[in-house]
Amino acid sequence: MWFTSKQLQTDALRRVMRRSRNWLEVEMMEILTGLMEDFELESISFCVNDLIPILSKSGFKSLRQAILKVLRDDWQLSPMTNAFPYTRYMILSDGTMVTGESKGRYDNFTRSSLPGP
């Protein structure tokens, strides 16, 4: 008797698969989905250099190359081909999130593009 991979996947298996990712990928998913929920957005744009201070203030020091590896290799995202304006999300020293306009080569994240459970 043969089973397809879809037939074998259960909720428990999906939870195990989601939690077996590396800590950086899990933290990036939580930050991005949290921002989408807080600002009630379906998509959000980030430059790699915008993620570094947010991750470090969350208690996770990471290198730019490690973030790029998650974005390019694991999530198969590619940045915009040219610098365009986007809404930048910054975390202040007291922990509040603020927005501002910026220009750069950003990655666009949607709820469906992020790996989920």
Side-chain angles (χ1 to χ4, degrees):
M1 181 178 263
W2 299 97
F3 298 99
T4 64
S5 62
K6 187 174 182 176
Q7 291 172 326
L8 293 175
Q9 284 191 2
T10 62
D11 289 334
L13 178 62
R14 282 189 218 101
R15 282 193 305 271
V16 168
M17 288 170 51
R18 182 181 61 207
R19 289 298 171 190
S20 69
R21 293 185 173 109
N22 71 28
W23 61 269
L24 178 61
E25 186 176 0
V26 171
E27 186 64 24
M28 286 172 54
M29 282 189 305
E30 289 178 4
I31 287 172
L32 293 171
T33 54
L35 283 172
M36 284 185 210
E37 290 172 2
D38 290 346
F39 290 98
E40 298 175 355
L41 301 170
E42 286 299 315
S43 68
I44 194 167
S45 301
F46 264 101
C47 282
V48 175
N49 292 335
D50 296 341
L51 285 170
I52 294 171
I54 292 175
L55 285 167
S56 67
K57 289 190 180 179
S58 298
F60 295 95
K61 300 232 178 203
S62 59
L63 298 174
R64 187 175 194 277
Q65 291 83 6
I67 296 172
L68 283 171
K69 182 185 177 302
V70 170
L71 294 176
R72 306 297 178 253
D73 297 341
D74 299 339
W75 294 356
Q76 284 88 33
L77 292 174
S78 58
M80 300 299 285
T81 57
N82 220 343
F84 291 108
Y86 70 100
T87 303
R88 181 178 182 186
Y89 298 89
M90 299 165 284
I91 189 166
L92 300 178
S93 59
D94 62 353
T96 57
M97 293 294 293
V98 295
T99 62
E101 293 300 315
S102 187
K103 186 177 180 180
R105 293 183 62 205
Y106 58 87
D107 292 291
N108 194 27
F109 304 95
T110 60
R111 290 185 192 268
S112 60
S113 71
L114 290 175

